[in-house]
Amino acid sequence: MKDNVNTNIKTTLGFTLLELAIVLFVLTLLVGRFALPLAAQREARQVKQAEAEMLEIRAALLGYAVLYGHLPCPDVSGDGEAGANCATGGEGGLPYKTLGLARGNDPWGKNWRYRVDRNFANSPIRFDTTFADSLQINNLYGDKLSTDEERPVFILLSAGPNGRLDGDNATTSNRYQSGAPTRDFDDLVFWLSRPILFHHLLMAGRVS
C-alpha cells in the first residue's frame, strides 16, 4: 500500500514538473513573439522623432542664415558651438548651442553630424555664391540624388538605430548616401539645396 502511494506521488510530481516545463516553454515563446514587435515599435517611434528633430534643426539653420547671412560652421571642439571658421571644409558635430537647440544628440544618443559647404558659411551669401566642397548625395545604388549644378549647401546625418554611420557616410569624402533602411544601412540623411536657401534669404532681404 505504501509503495502504491509513493508511486502515485512520484507520478503526480512527474506530471507536475512536465506540465511546468511546458508552461515555461510556451511563456518563453510568447514573450519572444511579443518582444520583437515591441522593439520594432520603439524603433519606429525613434525614427519618427529623429525625422521631427531634423525639421527643427533645418528651421534653426535657416533662421541662423536669415539672421547672419550665412550658415554656421560645424562644432569641431565638442562644446556645441560653431567653429570660428570652416575654411578647410569638413564634417563635425551640430552646433546646437549656437542654433539655440536643447541638445546635439539624436534619439539613439549619438551626436548629430553636420557638414556645410564652406562658401555658404564663411561670408555673407550672395546670388553669385557657388560651391566649394562639391558635396554629393547618392542613393544606395550609386545614383545621384543631387546634381553637379545644384549641390547640397549643408548635410545633416544621424547614425540611426545601429549607432554607426554606414556606407559612404562612414568615410571622410564629400560623397554621402541616403536611402530606405536595409540590413546594412539605417542612416537618416537630410540636406538642403541652394534654391531653398536662396528663397528664404531673399524673402528676408538677406541676399543680393
Side-chain angles (χ1 to χ4, degrees):
M1 182 69 178
K2 185 176 180 180
D3 290 340
N4 289 336
V5 171
N6 289 336
T7 301
N8 290 335
I9 292 174
K10 289 179 181 178
T11 303
T12 302
L13 288 173
F15 276 115
T16 301
L17 291 174
L18 177 60
E19 289 166 355
L20 180 60
I22 293 172
V23 169
L24 289 174
F25 177 71
V26 171
L27 285 174
T28 301
L29 290 178
L30 289 174
V31 169
R33 182 177 180 182
F34 286 108
L36 185 59
L38 288 174
Q41 290 175 23
R42 183 175 63 253
E43 183 176 307
R45 286 196 301 270
Q46 290 172 319
V47 169
K48 291 183 74 69
Q49 181 184 343
E51 291 170 344
E53 289 180 9
M54 281 181 159
L55 293 178
E56 182 182 12
I57 294 168
R58 172 188 184 272
L61 286 166
L62 286 171
Y64 183 97
V66 167
L67 281 172
Y68 299 102
H70 59 85
L71 291 163
C73 292
D75 168 20
V76 293
S77 60
D79 62 1
E81 297 184 11
N85 66 76
C86 37
T88 58
E91 183 184 298
L94 179 72
Y96 68 96
K97 290 182 181 178
T98 300
L99 295 171
L101 298 171
R103 59 192 181 93
N105 56 315
D106 63 20
W108 298 277
K110 298 293 184 179
N111 290 337
W112 287 103
R113 305 299 299 167
Y114 170 65
R115 179 76 183 270
V116 62
D117 186 291
R118 62 191 130 144
N119 276 5
F120 291 83
N122 286 320
S123 58
I125 298 169
R126 301 171 53 87
F127 273 123
D128 60 355
T129 300
T130 56
F131 305 98
D133 297 327
S134 300
L135 300 179
Q136 178 67 49
I137 305 288
N138 295 338
N139 64 18
L140 301 186
Y141 305 100
D143 302 318
K144 290 182 177 180
L145 299 178
S146 57
T147 68
D148 293 340
E149 293 76 23
E150 288 301 337
R151 298 180 180 274
V153 293
F154 74 75
I155 298 169
L156 184 66
L157 293 165
S158 166
N162 69 13
R164 67 173 186 274
L165 294 174
D166 303 315
D168 289 341
N169 300 334
T171 69
T172 56
S173 70
N174 294 341
R175 187 176 61 193
Y176 293 81
Q177 281 183 297
S178 177
T182 67
R183 185 180 63 179
D184 301 316
F185 183 95
D186 64 1
D187 295 354
L188 282 79
V189 183
F190 180 88
W191 67 96
L192 192 76
S193 69
R194 184 172 60 168
I196 294 176
L197 177 62
F198 276 4
H199 168 75
H200 285 268
L201 294 177
L202 181 62
M203 294 296 290
R206 266 297 196 170
V207 67
S208 60

